[in-house]
Every structure is written in structure tokens, then in C-alpha cells.
Amino acid sequence: MKVLVIGGGAREHALCRSLSQDPAVTELHCAPGNAGIAQVATVHPVDQLDGAQVADLAGRLGADLVVVGPEAPLVAGVADAVRAVGIPVFGPSGAAARLEGSKAFAKDVMAGAGVPTARSYVCTTAEEAAEALDAFGAPYVVKDDGLAAGKGVVVTSDRAAALAHAAACERVVIEEYLDGPEVSLFAITDGTTVLPLQPAQDFKRALDGDEGPNTGGMGAYSPLPWAPAGLVQEVLETVLQPTVDELRRRGTEFSGLLYAGLALTSRGTRVIEFNARFGDPETQVVLARLRTPLAAVLLASATGTLDQLEPLRWSEDAAVTVVVASEGYPAAPRTGDPIEGLAEAEADGTAFVLHAGTAADGDGRVLSAGGRVLSVTATGADLAEARGRAYAAVDRISLKGGQHRTDIALKAATAQPTA
């Protein structure tokens, strides 16, 4: 199988790493890729938002499957352009990707499907926003209706800050605050069959103790030893399957990756948000635990044959990923600094480094090229061992001004017995 992955972040590196280990994959390509992806796939320059360019590249490569990683190309309809030339695509249509592209659309779908979520208002004026904030009270939750690379949500007890965020957006969804721990649950679907993966938890705030500004994610871990038994089946029955069924009923079939961000509240499980693609950095830990070869699963989603797959196989090991970000992230990330110690981080075979924002210079050096630069991932017999290995690998990497959280998976790891 020849596979083309679209994107150039750590999520796409995680996908490429898993696909490169799949014996069924005879050729692996990625566009535009990054310095790390180039070690496991042939990279190609392409405008990932241009469906015609992507479809043309897939045709020239003779791709048997195209995997669209990021949300922006999906919302732009890149998957539609590739399907139009007869190539199977893992990823929803532009119409179905509105589930992530518009918070208001997602709320409407959830209402139609009877999916439990926070009460909310869609606001387009300052007056509407003020009324909605007062209706729910603090803490205030204000979400940009459109794509914002994981950073369009403000949760604050400062009413003025909440109003300012609303004013900076064309349209916002203001909703009640959901208490309780958060869970990320991915599901692969072909528009009818829904196949849930293993749950994970990510860390959105920049600093230890969940302090600092919201980011695209500073780390993640899986499994969740504290999660209630039966959580995955409950979410499949009350959230994932009803959402896929509702979209199909509307004539907007969703195939690809459906990501449910969940809050386990005192009143039951509630959906915080939907995404239309693998989450970053949760993908890094979920795929690290997947033992079933990936390509056949993604192809079954793209060709409507998920019901014919054997059950997925999972490692009993735990996985932890720690994001190394550049100086100034998320407000004003510094780029262009050399990264040292990458080989040393992977030398003992207990951890691997996934590139997010990197580029290679003319001398073959790897440079920082984004806010989130690396995802350092490790597995172990339990979370304590996995996080120990991940942080040991982080310590071997040198990036001027680089920053990372030191508490990824700490509470979960210390709450369970260690080997």
C-alpha cells in the first residue's frame, strides 16, 4: 500500500511512525512534512490547504490512501478534492468537518442527536455576550466559533477578560462551565460503524499546575487508571454513535476520526467539544499503545468496511508524551534555534522523539520552526515508568529557551502502584 499523509506536525509524525512500522505499507509519503518525518517518509512541498494540489500529488504518487491530518485542510475540503479523483481518503468531507470548524454547528448536531453537553448561547454582539455571561455566571467559558488551532477557548473568572475574548471573535459560543476531569476519546468511523480507541488525557495550560495561558497541548498520557469502568462503551452509546448517525441522517456522512473532548462532571459525562481529526498531543500516546497495524484500519474507514475488521489490539503498557515548546510560546514563539541531543534522547530505546515545529537547514542541523517543537514520548509498564523515561529523554535535549511542563501524568502516576 502506498500512503500519503497530509500535514507537518507531531500528530502527522506519530501517524507516519506507526505507518512506517506497518508491513503492508510499501511506500510512505508526507506533504509538507518536517525534519523528523523526513526520516521515515518521503516529503513533498505542497500547500496543504489546496485540494487540487493535494489530489494532483496523490495521483502522481499512485497513492492507495491519503490521510489528512490537520483540521484546516479538512475544513477547507481537501478530502473532497482527493475523493473526487477516486483515491480513498481518511478524513471527513468539508461539510462534515464543520463539526470542528463551527462550535455552533456542533451544538446543533448534538441537540439533534440527544448528546449530553453544556448549555450554551451563540453570540454575535457584545450585548448578547454580556447577557450570556451573566446567565451562566463564573467561571466563564467563551469559545471562538471557528478554527483557532486549539487556542480559541477562554475559561476565566474575569468577566472583562471573557468579554474581551468575545469581542475579538466574529461569533462565539458561551456556555456553562463543566466541572470534573477531562478525557479525550478518539473514534474511527466510516460513517456507519464507530470504532472507539483508548482514552487519553492532555494538558492544555502552558505551566505546571494547570497555570498560564491556554496552548495547543503540552503533554498527554494513556491509559487513565482513574477513569470509571465502562466509560468507553458509555461514550460510544451516548455520544459517538448518535453523532455519526445524526450526521448521516442529515446527509452529511462523517468518515474519518471523530474526537470527543469530554468532561466527567458531577452530573454525568458531557461533551466539551468535537474535533474532526486526531488530537495533538493525545495521538502520540494512543498510537504508541496500538498494536493493530494502522494502515488497514484507516483504509477500512476510507472504504466503508470497518465492520469487517478484527477487534483492535492494544498494549498493556502506559504511554506519556511531553511537549518541548520554544521560548515565548504560546504568545510569541521564538524560532530558528538549533536543537541538540535528539539522537541521545532515543539512544537507549525507551523513548522516541516526534517532531512538531522543526526544519532542517542546509548543514543538516534541525532547527526550531514553531511554538510546539517536539513531542518526547515513552512507554513503560505503568505511567510512573513511562513518564520517568519521557522526562529522562527530555533532559538529553537542548533547545535555547525551550520550555516544558514537569507534571505531565504526575497525579495519575502517583495514584497507582508502580512496578
Side-chain angles (χ1 to χ4, degrees), residues 102-342:
S102 169
K103 302 290 191 299
F105 176 72
K107 287 289 188 181
D108 187 61
V109 171
M110 283 188 263
V115 168
T117 187
R119 294 177 297 130
S120 63
Y121 295 102
V122 179
C123 306
T124 57
T125 67
E127 292 74 21
E128 290 174 349
E131 289 181 18
L133 293 175
D134 293 340
F136 291 130
Y140 306 108
V141 182
V142 185
K143 299 181 176 182
D144 189 338
D145 182 49
L147 292 180
K151 298 183 282 292
V153 179
V154 165
V155 181
T156 179
S157 294
D158 184 336
R159 187 174 181 275
L163 278 172
H165 182 61
C169 305
E170 191 172 317
R171 184 161 81 151
V172 294
V173 173
I174 293 176
E175 61 185 38
E176 65 177 329
Y177 176 75
L178 297 175
D179 62 345
E182 295 185 9
V183 174
S184 298
L185 184 60
F186 303 161
I188 291 174
T189 179
D190 57 11
T192 302
T193 301
V194 181
L195 191 65
L197 306 185
Q198 291 289 302
Q201 186 177 60
D202 77 333
F203 294 75
K204 288 294 187 191
R205 298 287 182 173
L207 307 176
D208 285 4
D210 290 326
E211 299 290 334
N214 213 33
T215 73
M218 295 298 291
Y221 68 95
S222 178
L224 311 182
W226 47 266
L231 174 65
V232 173
Q233 187 63 29
E234 175 205 339
V235 175
L236 174 63
E237 295 173 358
T238 63
V239 174
L240 300 169
Q241 191 71 57
T243 299
V244 169
D245 292 346
E246 173 67 12
L247 285 164
R248 189 175 66 253
R249 186 189 68 79
R250 294 179 178 217
T252 312
E253 184 177 283
F254 187 108
S255 71
L257 196 290
L258 177 58
Y259 167 133
L262 308 164
L264 308 189
T265 78
S266 55
R267 293 173 292 132
T269 303
R270 299 287 186 271
V271 174
I272 301 170
E273 65 175 354
F274 281 132
N275 290 331
R277 40 71 191 180
F278 278 104
D280 182 351
E282 301 99 320
T283 302
Q284 289 85 304
V285 292
V286 172
L287 291 186
R289 298 184 59 225
L290 180 65
R291 289 293 166 261
T292 300
L294 183 61
V297 181
L298 303 185
L299 184 63
S301 165
T303 56
T305 57
L306 271 180
D307 61 337
Q308 300 173 25
L309 278 186
E310 296 289 324
L312 297 179
R313 302 191 309 277
W314 295 94
S315 168
E316 293 297 318
D317 284 355
V320 173
T321 192
V322 178
V323 169
V324 177
S326 59
E327 181 179 352
Y329 179 74
R334 172 190 169 110
T335 60
D337 290 309
I339 305 165
E340 306 289 347
L342 294 173

Side-chain angles (χ1 to χ4, degrees), residues 24-101:
V25 177
T26 53
E27 282 187 30
L28 181 59
H29 301 266
C30 186
N34 62 36
I37 292 172
Q39 298 172 17
V40 295
T42 303
V43 296
H44 305 267
V46 73
D47 178 355
Q48 62 183 5
L49 298 179
D50 188 322
Q53 277 193 37
V54 172
D56 178 68
L57 175 62
R60 285 190 284 111
L61 294 173
D64 301 299
L65 174 67
V66 174
V67 180
V68 184
E71 60 273 25
L74 290 168
V75 172
V78 166
D80 302 86
V82 177
R83 283 194 185 95
V85 297
I87 299 174
V89 186
F90 180 80
S93 66
R98 285 186 66 212
L99 200 64
E100 177 170 3

Side-chain angles (χ1 to χ4, degrees), residues 324 337-342 366 374 393-402:
V324 177
D337 290 309
I339 305 165
E340 306 289 347
L342 294 173
V366 177
L374 304 168
V394 169
D395 288 342
R396 299 184 187 110
I397 296 171
S398 173
L399 170 64
K400 182 179 180 180

